[in-house]
Amino acid sequence: MLFQRFIVKVIGGKENSIVQEIKERISTYGFNEYIKSIVIINKKIVKEQLFKHDDEKLPANKKNTANIVWEVLDNGDFKKTTTKISNKFPGYIYVNMQYDADVWYVIRNTPGVLGFLGSIGSGSKPIPMSEVQFQKALQNSIPEEKIIEKKIPLSVGMIVDIVSGKFAKNKGKIVSIDSSNHTVNVQIENLGEVEVFDIDIQRS
């Protein structure tokens, strides 16, 4: 498959929810194999503030968090570093996909999607961006990639790789499936044991 990157214009400030909606629609229509990833390009904003040790505005609780770091300077003053992650290109997401008219239709008709860049309407195919253009857009950024999860239907007799639990990294054969409890019975190859697993396995 030839995968290409397309720029999709969306409602600004709702990029994450729109990406989630696209993923759900793509999965519902069975088009997962046409989508490799959806990327939101983020940037890091770092703000530093200096406080005198006797500054009246100095907070009493100088607690470090995931986004805030306090440092004591050599002279006894304090430095507060605040890190914020925001969308570098508000209103745009980047879809790495194999072009297909039906997939394109599903994405561009997702609520919040305003259209594909490079498409002049009337059903004209959008123009993909080059890898050079994409790498340039990534400069000084933090890409947040939303990979489309490919769901594989399970069936009795299927050989699977066990990816968690005490038998992780072993292969096994599905002997029964309980969809109501989201569990499967897997017979471990070469061990002759049957274990019940949550559905957290991959096709071998």
Side-chain angles (χ1 to χ4, degrees), residues 6 8 18 22 32 38 45 48 50 71 74 76 108 127 133 138 164 178 197:
F6 296 90
V8 181
I18 293 171
I22 291 174
N32 285 344
I38 304 175
I45 301 174
E48 293 185 348
L50 296 177
E71 296 178 69
D74 293 339
R108 65 189 174 93
I127 300 173
Q133 290 173 314
L138 289 181
S164 66
D178 186 346
F197 294 92

Short mmCIF file of all heavy atoms in Angstrom, two decimals, residues 6 8 18 22 32 38 45 48 50 71 74 76 108 127 133 138 164 178 197:
data_model
loop_
_atom_site.label_atom_id
_atom_site.label_comp_id
_atom_site.label_asym_id
_atom_site.label_seq_id
_atom_site.Cartn_x
_atom_site.Cartn_y
_atom_site.Cartn_z
N PHE A 6 -1.73 13.60 4.41
CA PHE A 6 -2.65 14.64 3.98
C PHE A 6 -2.93 15.57 5.16
O PHE A 6 -3.01 15.13 6.31
CB PHE A 6 -3.96 14.04 3.49
CG PHE A 6 -3.82 13.18 2.25
CD1 PHE A 6 -3.56 11.83 2.35
CD2 PHE A 6 -3.92 13.75 0.99
CE1 PHE A 6 -3.41 11.04 1.21
CE2 PHE A 6 -3.79 12.98 -0.16
CZ PHE A 6 -3.53 11.62 -0.04
N VAL A 8 -5.47 17.91 7.09
CA VAL A 8 -6.92 18.04 7.24
C VAL A 8 -7.21 19.26 8.11
O VAL A 8 -6.68 19.40 9.21
CB VAL A 8 -7.52 16.78 7.89
CG1 VAL A 8 -9.04 16.93 8.02
CG2 VAL A 8 -7.18 15.54 7.05
N ILE A 18 -11.86 15.55 17.66
CA ILE A 18 -12.13 15.24 16.25
C ILE A 18 -11.31 14.03 15.81
O ILE A 18 -11.80 13.16 15.07
CB ILE A 18 -11.84 16.47 15.37
CG1 ILE A 18 -12.85 17.57 15.68
CG2 ILE A 18 -11.89 16.10 13.88
CD1 ILE A 18 -12.54 18.90 15.02
N ILE A 22 -12.77 10.61 14.28
CA ILE A 22 -12.31 10.01 13.03
C ILE A 22 -11.94 8.55 13.24
O ILE A 22 -12.31 7.67 12.45
CB ILE A 22 -11.11 10.79 12.45
CG1 ILE A 22 -11.56 12.17 11.97
CG2 ILE A 22 -10.47 10.03 11.29
CD1 ILE A 22 -10.41 13.06 11.53
N ASN A 32 -9.68 0.52 8.84
CA ASN A 32 -8.45 0.68 9.63
C ASN A 32 -7.19 0.46 8.81
O ASN A 32 -6.18 1.13 9.03
CB ASN A 32 -8.45 -0.30 10.81
CG ASN A 32 -9.39 0.15 11.92
OD1 ASN A 32 -9.82 1.30 11.95
ND2 ASN A 32 -9.72 -0.75 12.82
N ILE A 38 -2.62 9.23 12.69
CA ILE A 38 -3.12 10.60 12.67
C ILE A 38 -2.24 11.38 13.64
O ILE A 38 -2.04 10.96 14.78
CB ILE A 38 -4.59 10.68 13.10
CG1 ILE A 38 -5.45 9.77 12.21
CG2 ILE A 38 -5.09 12.11 13.03
CD1 ILE A 38 -6.91 9.70 12.64
N ILE A 45 6.07 25.09 25.27
CA ILE A 45 6.27 26.48 25.66
C ILE A 45 6.82 26.48 27.09
O ILE A 45 6.19 25.95 28.01
CB ILE A 45 4.95 27.28 25.61
CG1 ILE A 45 4.37 27.25 24.19
CG2 ILE A 45 5.16 28.71 26.07
CD1 ILE A 45 3.01 27.89 24.07
N GLU A 48 9.86 30.96 32.37
CA GLU A 48 10.65 31.03 33.58
C GLU A 48 10.33 32.32 34.34
O GLU A 48 10.22 33.40 33.74
CB GLU A 48 12.14 30.96 33.28
CG GLU A 48 12.59 29.61 32.72
CD GLU A 48 14.09 29.54 32.54
OE1 GLU A 48 14.76 30.60 32.62
OE2 GLU A 48 14.62 28.43 32.31
N LEU A 50 11.44 34.50 37.99
CA LEU A 50 12.37 34.63 39.10
C LEU A 50 11.67 35.33 40.26
O LEU A 50 10.97 36.33 40.08
CB LEU A 50 13.60 35.41 38.68
CG LEU A 50 14.47 34.76 37.60
CD1 LEU A 50 15.64 35.69 37.23
CD2 LEU A 50 15.00 33.41 38.06
N GLU A 71 13.17 25.79 41.60
CA GLU A 71 14.58 25.63 41.91
C GLU A 71 15.02 26.73 42.86
O GLU A 71 14.58 27.87 42.75
CB GLU A 71 15.43 25.72 40.64
CG GLU A 71 15.18 24.62 39.61
CD GLU A 71 16.02 24.83 38.38
OE1 GLU A 71 17.27 24.69 38.47
OE2 GLU A 71 15.45 25.16 37.32
N ASP A 74 21.53 29.93 43.92
CA ASP A 74 22.65 30.06 44.85
C ASP A 74 22.48 31.22 45.83
O ASP A 74 22.95 31.17 46.96
CB ASP A 74 23.97 30.23 44.08
CG ASP A 74 24.34 28.97 43.32
OD1 ASP A 74 23.82 27.89 43.69
OD2 ASP A 74 25.13 29.05 42.35
N GLY A 76 19.72 32.19 47.11
CA GLY A 76 18.55 32.00 47.95
C GLY A 76 17.24 32.35 47.27
O GLY A 76 16.16 32.12 47.83
N ARG A 108 -13.77 13.35 5.64
CA ARG A 108 -14.18 14.74 5.40
C ARG A 108 -15.63 15.00 5.82
O ARG A 108 -16.03 16.17 5.93
CB ARG A 108 -13.97 15.12 3.94
CG ARG A 108 -14.78 14.40 2.90
CD ARG A 108 -14.28 14.76 1.49
NE ARG A 108 -14.92 13.98 0.44
CZ ARG A 108 -16.01 14.36 -0.22
NH1 ARG A 108 -16.56 15.52 0.05
NH2 ARG A 108 -16.52 13.60 -1.16
N ILE A 127 -4.26 17.02 -2.45
CA ILE A 127 -2.84 16.88 -2.77
C ILE A 127 -2.08 16.50 -1.50
O ILE A 127 -2.17 17.21 -0.49
CB ILE A 127 -2.27 18.20 -3.33
CG1 ILE A 127 -3.03 18.58 -4.61
CG2 ILE A 127 -0.78 18.08 -3.60
CD1 ILE A 127 -2.66 19.95 -5.14
N GLN A 133 8.22 18.22 3.58
CA GLN A 133 7.33 19.22 4.18
C GLN A 133 6.91 18.81 5.59
O GLN A 133 6.85 19.63 6.50
CB GLN A 133 6.08 19.42 3.31
CG GLN A 133 6.34 20.10 1.98
CD GLN A 133 5.11 20.11 1.10
OE1 GLN A 133 4.43 19.10 0.94
NE2 GLN A 133 4.80 21.26 0.52
N LEU A 138 7.67 19.31 11.62
CA LEU A 138 7.99 18.70 12.91
C LEU A 138 9.13 19.41 13.64
O LEU A 138 9.35 19.15 14.83
CB LEU A 138 8.39 17.23 12.71
CG LEU A 138 7.28 16.24 12.34
CD1 LEU A 138 7.86 14.83 12.22
CD2 LEU A 138 6.15 16.25 13.35
N SER A 164 0.73 -10.78 27.93
CA SER A 164 0.76 -10.39 29.32
C SER A 164 0.52 -11.62 30.20
O SER A 164 0.09 -12.67 29.71
CB SER A 164 -0.28 -9.30 29.61
OG SER A 164 -1.59 -9.81 29.42
N ASP A 178 -15.38 -16.32 25.48
CA ASP A 178 -16.54 -15.82 26.22
C ASP A 178 -16.62 -14.32 25.97
O ASP A 178 -15.99 -13.52 26.68
CB ASP A 178 -16.38 -16.13 27.71
CG ASP A 178 -17.64 -15.75 28.50
OD1 ASP A 178 -18.49 -15.03 27.93
OD2 ASP A 178 -17.76 -16.15 29.66
N PHE A 197 -7.74 -15.82 29.92
CA PHE A 197 -7.08 -14.53 29.77
C PHE A 197 -8.10 -13.47 29.42
O PHE A 197 -9.10 -13.74 28.75
CB PHE A 197 -6.04 -14.57 28.63
CG PHE A 197 -4.88 -15.47 28.90
CD1 PHE A 197 -4.90 -16.80 28.48
CD2 PHE A 197 -3.76 -15.00 29.56
CE1 PHE A 197 -3.84 -17.63 28.73
CE2 PHE A 197 -2.69 -15.83 29.80
CZ PHE A 197 -2.72 -17.16 29.39
#
